[in-house]
Amino acid sequence: MKIELIKISKFFPGVKALQEVTVTIAPGKVHAICGENGAGKSTLLNILGGNLQADEGKIFIDHNEVKFSSPRDAFAKGITIVHQHLSLIDSLSIAENIYGNSPPVDHYGFLRRRNMISNTTNLLEQLDLKKLKPGQLVQSLNAGEKQMVEIAKAVVNNPQVVFFDEPTASVSEKDSLIIFKIIKKLKEAGVAVVYISHRLNEIFYLADEVTVLKDGKTQGTFSADQVDEERLIQLMVGREIDQNKRGSSRHSLPLLEVKNINGPGFNDISFTVHRGEIFGLGGLIGAGRTEIVRAIFGASLITGGILKVNEVPIRFFHHPIDAIHKRIGYVPEDRKTQGVFEDKSVAENIFVTELSTHSVFNAQKQKKIAEEYCRSLKINTPSIYKKAGELSGGNQQKLLIARWLYTNVDVLIMDEPTNGIDVGARFEIYGIMRQFIEQGKCILLISSELNELLNVCDRIMVVKKGKCVQILDAKNTSEEQILSLAMQ
């Protein structure tokens, strides 16, 4: 099935979300849609999925004009979406979730449960997801497995077009490879695949064609072999970005020393992070990386071992405020539920650590500090009094970093800091990290993107099942080596 979008425009109050966007999506091909946050990707996806209607332009399927007034209309035409934010019901089984919209019933309308179970088994086998069982409750699955169920739910009715919206954003490298295999199977079956991702390596691995959006306008559609990563970034952000790997700023002086620590989800962990160093933690999702850094930050309890800051042994932290007093900060993986106070202003979010440790409130000081950090970190907000929950993911992430820069921490823990943010914000965050360590401070970085670990870190500790497998020099390490150690 061939889809043509001709001069599609969509307007919201004060915003031109899409302006005369023209795209052709061909069967049996993977068509990537790239662009920064706010470029119009989600709006385009919602129009094709029937959640929104275009204000101008036309949509053709196999040369026949169509109009979608609801998601049901798009579904009836064979169009389905694998959303970034899962639409599963945790209390139901895998089979019940997959067939939630179209359960097999008899001529009386009663559910054919046996058919549903056997059909689910066959589908999971076709997708090479044999480890999943139809009767398993979704709440028992990890993030990667839930994403697989979301994909199975999308393809159960043999769609003609499947949209993937950031499908690897919260899954491991191993699960990403499974998703890629499923996409290639769909392509071989003649299905048209539309793929949205901020991870450019995925775009070049999967896509046959790439359309770039910027500020709601099409910058062009290219065969994937016509453009390289540098050109794609320039088209997306409208400027050149410094991608050069930095020289090492690592000093000989240790800043954070961890010796044989134990805690919930990990044991016998030892490493030293020096001033001027970015120290990476690599491994599969669920390996124990987050548990290690949360314990160092005082969010969970260390039960044994030694912790030193500036070569001085310290008592284990019983609360994050203890870590903050020792000038340790933490940017969590889930910025929405664990980091940003969405209903509070930009200024209040930057100032929150001082509000928690001082009783005197200085509104003028708060205003000055917030404006300085918004300017220096390029936090895109019309006002420091705007609610933080209304910012894009990249701006929220820079807001969290601003909080710790203001607090003047020496050790900054960053858990998946570029997850789900666009390429422009990603490189801006890398620049902030570089400036931070050049001041003689250090960063603990968790990332599931192997190329990010290799390009940003000085050394990488591979973690598996709560234990350190090996500490590697990033300059002399490959993605294959990290993945092999994480899976061995």
Side-chain angles (χ1 to χ4, degrees):
M1 186 169 79
K2 180 180 179 181
I3 299 181
E4 297 171 276
L5 294 91
I6 309 297
K7 294 187 176 181
I8 297 293
S9 296
K10 182 65 182 177
F11 311 112
F12 298 106
V15 178
K16 296 179 180 179
L18 293 174
Q19 300 179 62
E20 297 191 346
V21 170
T22 296
V23 182
T24 299
I25 300 165
K29 290 188 176 182
V30 178
H31 194 120
I33 307 291
C34 296
E36 293 186 280
N37 287 336
K41 304 187 302 297
S42 295
T43 303
L44 188 66
L45 189 73
N46 280 313
I47 288 173
L48 284 167
N51 292 305
L52 293 173
Q53 287 72 51
D55 294 318
E56 296 176 359
K58 296 181 178 181
I59 301 174
F60 293 89
I61 293 181
D62 291 335
H63 307 296
N64 298 310
E65 186 176 355
V66 295
K67 292 184 179 180
F68 302 142
S69 58
S70 70
R72 186 175 292 275
D73 291 343
F75 182 77
K77 290 293 185 181
I79 297 172
T80 188
I81 300 175
V82 179
H83 291 283
Q84 179 181 358
H85 302 292
L86 303 181
S87 59
L88 305 177
I89 299 174
D90 279 352
S91 60
L92 297 182
S93 69
I94 290 175
E96 289 166 333
N97 270 279
I98 289 174
Y99 280 96
N101 293 327
S102 54
V105 295
D106 61 22
H107 59 280
Y108 294 111
F110 292 106
L111 176 66
R112 291 182 169 178
R113 182 167 290 278
R114 286 185 180 179
N115 286 17
M116 184 175 71
I117 296 298
S118 63
N119 291 348
T120 301
T121 300
N122 292 335
L123 177 63
L124 294 174
E125 287 179 356
Q126 290 171 20
L127 298 177
D128 288 334
L129 302 175
K130 298 176 185 177
K131 66 177 182 178
L132 299 179
K133 304 303 177 186
Q136 282 179 271
L137 292 181
V138 165
Q139 65 191 16
S140 70
L141 307 180
N142 62 35
E145 291 167 338
K146 287 182 179 180
Q147 185 67 69
M148 303 306 169
V149 175
E150 186 78 21
I151 293 172
K153 179 181 175 183
V155 304
V156 64
N157 290 307
N158 300 313
Q160 298 298 302
V161 183
V162 182
F163 294 89
F164 287 86
D165 187 8
E166 299 280 357
T168 63
S170 58
V171 305
S172 69
E173 200 85 15
K174 182 180 178 182
D175 288 331
S176 294
L177 295 175
I178 296 173
I179 292 173
F180 298 159
K181 284 179 65 177
I182 292 172
I183 289 172
K184 291 197 170 186
K185 281 189 175 185
L186 291 171
K187 174 182 171 180
E188 290 167 2
V191 175
V193 175
V194 179
Y195 194 81
I196 293 176
S197 177
H198 291 307
R199 298 177 177 179
L200 299 187
N201 59 322
E202 295 180 0
I203 299 299
F204 287 107
Y205 180 72
L206 290 170
D208 299 293
E209 296 180 321
V210 183
T211 294
V212 181
L213 297 180
K214 177 174 170 54
D215 299 329
K217 298 178 181 178
T218 308
Q219 302 300 297
T221 296
F222 310 89
S223 171
D225 56 12
Q226 287 182 320
V227 288
D228 58 16
E229 184 172 311
E230 184 177 355
R231 176 61 176 151
L232 210 54
I233 291 172
Q234 288 178 3
L235 288 166
M236 283 191 282
V237 304
R239 63 187 186 280
E240 291 188 11
I241 291 181
D242 178 18
Q243 299 186 65
N244 295 329
K245 184 173 171 65
R246 65 175 180 84
S248 179
S249 301
R250 183 183 173 202
H251 299 191
S252 59
L253 291 173
L255 182 48
L256 176 68
E257 296 173 80
V258 175
K259 294 185 179 181
N260 308 116
I261 65 169
N262 302 303
F266 63 92
N267 60 77
D268 198 27
I269 297 294
S270 298
F271 60 87
T272 299
V273 189
H274 296 79
R275 290 186 176 277
E277 180 176 25
I278 299 179
F279 186 87
L281 279 74
L284 304 179
I285 290 175
R289 299 169 302 167
T290 296
E291 288 79 0
I292 292 168
V293 298
R294 280 177 57 82
I296 291 172
F297 188 62
S300 62
L301 189 62
I302 295 175
T303 57
I306 299 171
L307 200 60
K308 292 183 180 180
V309 177
N310 281 318
E311 302 183 86
V312 178
I314 59 174
R315 298 178 64 184
F316 300 136
F317 303 134
H318 292 272
H319 191 278
I321 200 68
D322 300 330
I324 294 170
H325 287 153
K326 292 295 182 181
R327 299 174 74 172
I328 298 174
Y330 179 39
V331 177
E333 177 180 10
D334 189 342
R335 57 180 167 263
K336 286 190 174 293
T337 61
Q338 299 176 357
V340 172
F341 296 92
E342 292 191 318
D343 60 339
K344 300 299 181 183
S345 71
V346 168
E348 288 171 314
N349 268 272
I350 293 174
F351 218 57
V352 68
T353 55
E354 182 157 315
L355 289 173
S356 67
T357 54
H358 294 77
S359 58
V360 178
F361 177 77
N362 188 327
Q364 195 60 35
K365 179 182 177 183
Q366 183 191 62
K367 180 176 183 296
K368 181 180 178 182
I369 289 167
E371 289 175 344
E372 285 177 358
Y373 279 110
C374 286
R375 184 169 52 253
S376 62
L377 301 189
K378 299 178 182 177
I379 299 173
N380 187 13
T381 176
S383 166
I384 62 168
Y385 303 112
K386 185 181 181 72
K387 287 186 177 181
E390 298 175 10
L391 302 183
S392 70
N395 284 305
Q396 287 183 357
Q397 201 74 323
K398 287 188 282 186
L399 183 58
L400 290 180
I401 296 171
R403 175 187 300 169
W404 298 118
L405 295 182
Y406 169 67
T407 310
N408 195 27
V409 296
D410 289 330
V411 179
L412 183 57
I413 301 167
M414 306 181 80
D415 194 347
E416 304 285 3
T418 62
N419 185 26
I421 65 175
D422 64 60
V423 68
R426 176 184 296 251
F427 282 100
E428 286 174 353
I429 287 173
Y430 292 159
I432 295 167
M433 293 165 64
R434 195 176 302 137
Q435 292 174 11
F436 182 81
I437 60 163
E438 285 172 355
Q439 298 171 29
K441 304 183 178 189
C442 73
I443 292 173
L444 265 70
L445 173 67
I446 293 177
S447 177
S448 296
E449 293 191 47
L450 301 184
N451 63 327
E452 181 170 75
L453 288 173
L454 292 172
N455 289 328
V456 172
C457 298
D458 295 282
R459 292 181 298 147
I460 302 163
M461 180 174 75
V462 181
V463 181
K464 180 184 178 184
K465 295 182 179 178
K467 294 184 177 181
C468 170
V469 179
Q470 191 172 339
I471 296 177
L472 306 165
D473 182 345
K475 286 184 179 179
N476 302 310
T477 302
S478 66
E479 292 187 20
E480 292 75 17
Q481 186 177 358
I482 296 174
L483 194 56
S484 175
L485 289 170
M487 297 176 65
Q488 70 180 10

